[in-house]
């Protein structure tokens, strides 16, 4: 029998390696570079290469957002079809593990649920002390994707609402949501689970993009981030950029020093000025 001639496409293999790593956890770009290169005889992964591979996955229908500098596999077009009976069975199984097993087996089961969630068509996280980070990441992911969520309460009541933000207080953590046009603050201790729904919501009228100007050499070499687009292209001196996510933007803009200026909206510009003044006051300036 004649041997089959096989040709391995290196780029395709690297895309699969990148996706395989993302399915193992949520990582920053630096963490991805370190973990992927650890499996190679010599470093071949860098920021540019991994960004290209992630975009390839996105083109194939795999949803990979980035929140707080970490990349997530949010959903896959070929995800497992979990029914409500499957979810209830997993919850009962979880209750047995929580009540009867050691902390080591609790951790193993939590890792199993996390991996199952990545391959599932339903993104569900149980809100417990041990899984607080997973539930808050799921909430923030829903905000990022502009998707409605279903909160499942311990008294079996379910509430479909729009996620707004997470508020970490001194004594408790609150989910800020909007239900039927009314804002509500719901303590996480009342919630047993969160499900991200496929239905998207329209941005509130008071949500605005941040408009900022980049100058000099920074404007020449600047690369657009997610949620950004060019309003006025580089004219030899500056360029104007719009970004929809203020909450993760300001800390980055501060690093650009005199080469960056927040223009609009006015409250955001004033907030940036106050942030700079507060920083300077710490040094007695």
């Amino acid at each position: 029998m004649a041997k089959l001639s096989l040709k391995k496409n290196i780029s395709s293999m690297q895309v699969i390696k990148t996706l395989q790593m993302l399915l193992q956890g949520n990582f920053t770009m630096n963490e991805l570079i370190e973990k992927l290169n650890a499996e190679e005889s010599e470093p071949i992964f860098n920021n540019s290469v991994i960004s290209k591979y992630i975009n390839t996955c996105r083109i194939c229908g795999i949803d990979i957002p980035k929140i707080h500098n970490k990349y997530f596999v949010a959903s896959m077009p070929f995800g497992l079809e979990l029914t409500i009976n499957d979810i209830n069975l997993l919850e009962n199984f979880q209750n047995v593990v929580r009540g009867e097993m050691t902390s080591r087996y609790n951790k193993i089961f939590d890792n199993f649920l996390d991996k199952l969630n990545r391959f599932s068509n339903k993104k569900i996280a149980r809100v417990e002390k041990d899984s607080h980070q997973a539930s808050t990441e799921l909430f923030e992911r829903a905000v990022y994707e502009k998707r409605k969520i279903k909160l499942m309460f311990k008294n079996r009541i379910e509430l479909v609402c729009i996620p707004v933000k997470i508020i970490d207080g001194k004594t408790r953590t609150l989910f800020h949501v909007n239900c039927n046009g009314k804002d509500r603050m719901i303590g996480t201790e009342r919630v047993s689970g969160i499900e991200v729904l496929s239905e998207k919501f329209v941005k509130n009228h008071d949500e605005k993009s941040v408009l900022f100007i980049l100058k000099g050499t920074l404007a020449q070499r600047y690369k657009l981030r997610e949620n950004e687009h060019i309003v006025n292209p580089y004219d030899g001196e500056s360029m104007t950029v719009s970004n929809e996510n203020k909450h993760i933007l300001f800390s980055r803009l501060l690093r650009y020093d005199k080469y960056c200026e927040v223009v609009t909206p006015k409250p955001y510009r004033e907030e940036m000025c106050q942030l700079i003044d507060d920083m300077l006051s710490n040094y007695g300036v």
Side-chain angles (χ1 to χ4, degrees):
M1 182 180 294
K3 292 183 178 179
L4 294 176
S5 177
L6 299 177
K7 182 178 179 180
K8 183 164 62 175
N9 186 299
I10 300 300
S11 294
S12 298
M13 292 298 297
Q14 308 300 23
V15 171
I16 293 173
K17 288 180 181 179
T18 302
L19 177 60
Q20 185 181 37
M21 184 61 66
L22 286 168
L23 288 171
Q24 295 177 22
N26 308 327
F27 304 112
T28 64
M29 178 59 73
N30 288 337
E31 289 170 340
L32 284 172
I33 293 172
E34 181 182 354
K35 289 178 178 294
L36 287 167
N37 281 328
E39 303 296 326
E40 305 294 330
S41 57
E42 60 182 32
I44 59 175
F45 288 93
N46 56 44
N47 192 312
S48 177
V49 168
I50 294 177
S51 296
K52 181 175 68 174
Y53 294 157
I54 289 176
N55 285 333
T56 300
C57 292
R58 288 167 174 165
I59 292 172
C60 294
I62 302 170
D63 194 4
I64 307 177
K66 183 177 77 169
I67 303 175
H68 296 326
N69 291 324
K70 286 193 174 183
Y71 290 89
F72 300 81
V73 174
S75 64
M76 299 174 63
F78 37 84
L80 296 173
E81 187 72 25
L82 290 181
T83 67
I84 188 64
N85 289 333
D86 295 330
I87 295 170
N88 288 336
L89 181 61
L90 285 169
E91 185 175 8
N92 291 335
F93 191 11
Q94 184 182 50
N95 291 335
V96 172
V97 173
R98 290 284 184 268
E100 305 294 335
M101 302 293 185
T102 64
S103 59
R104 174 173 175 268
Y105 288 105
N106 269 264
K107 186 175 182 179
I108 292 173
F109 186 76
D110 285 342
N111 290 335
F112 161 72
L113 285 183
D114 181 63
K115 290 182 179 180
L116 185 63
N117 235 1
R118 294 175 189 276
F119 290 96
S120 169
N121 61 315
K122 289 180 179 290
K123 300 301 174 185
I124 298 176
R126 298 298 166 186
V127 182
E128 300 175 348
K129 289 182 179 179
D130 294 337
S131 62
H132 177 74
Q133 182 178 355
S135 61
T136 54
E137 286 177 351
L138 197 67
F139 187 98
E140 291 173 335
R141 187 183 303 173
V143 174
Y144 175 88
E145 297 176 358
K146 299 180 181 61
R147 295 188 186 277
K148 291 185 177 181
I149 61 172
K150 180 190 292 183
L151 295 179
M152 292 161 272
F153 293 88
K154 294 179 179 179
N155 58 4
R156 299 295 179 179
I157 293 176
E158 296 181 348
L159 181 67
V160 175
C161 50
I162 293 173
V164 179
K165 62 182 177 180
I166 294 174
I167 300 175
D168 287 313
K170 292 183 179 179
T171 58
R172 61 199 296 238
T173 300
L174 302 171
F175 289 138
H176 179 187
V177 299
N178 186 282
C179 303
N180 300 319
K182 296 181 179 180
D183 285 339
R184 293 184 59 177
M185 305 293 176
I186 299 176
T188 56
E189 74 279 359
R190 296 179 52 205
V191 181
S192 62
I194 301 175
E195 177 182 349
V196 178
L197 305 178
S198 58
E199 182 183 358
K200 290 201 169 188
F201 60 83
V202 179
K203 291 170 63 177
N204 295 331
H205 68 278
D206 60 343
E207 291 182 309
K208 299 177 181 179
S209 297
V210 181
L211 207 65
F212 58 96
I213 296 176
L214 299 173
K215 306 172 185 178
T217 56
L218 176 62
Q220 289 179 284
R221 56 184 170 79
Y222 187 77
K223 293 183 179 180
L224 294 178
R225 271 57 166 189
E226 293 179 349
N227 300 316
E228 289 185 351
H229 68 272
I230 296 175
V231 178
N232 294 319
Y234 181 68
D235 60 1
E237 294 183 1
S238 66
M239 67 184 290
T240 306
V241 179
S242 174
N243 188 305
E244 295 182 357
N245 197 334
K246 181 207 75 169
H247 302 290
I248 62 174
L249 176 66
F250 280 6
S251 60
R252 174 160 60 86
L253 296 188
L254 283 171
R255 302 200 304 266
Y256 299 156
D257 197 22
K258 63 181 180 180
Y259 298 104
C260 177
E261 176 186 1
V262 175
V263 183
T264 60
K266 185 177 178 180
Y268 289 178
R269 179 181 173 88
E270 293 173 347
E271 184 177 339
M272 188 68 162
C273 291
Q274 185 61 52
L275 183 61
I276 294 172
D277 288 341
D278 291 343
M279 290 178 62
L280 291 175
S281 66
N282 289 335
Y283 296 94
V285 178

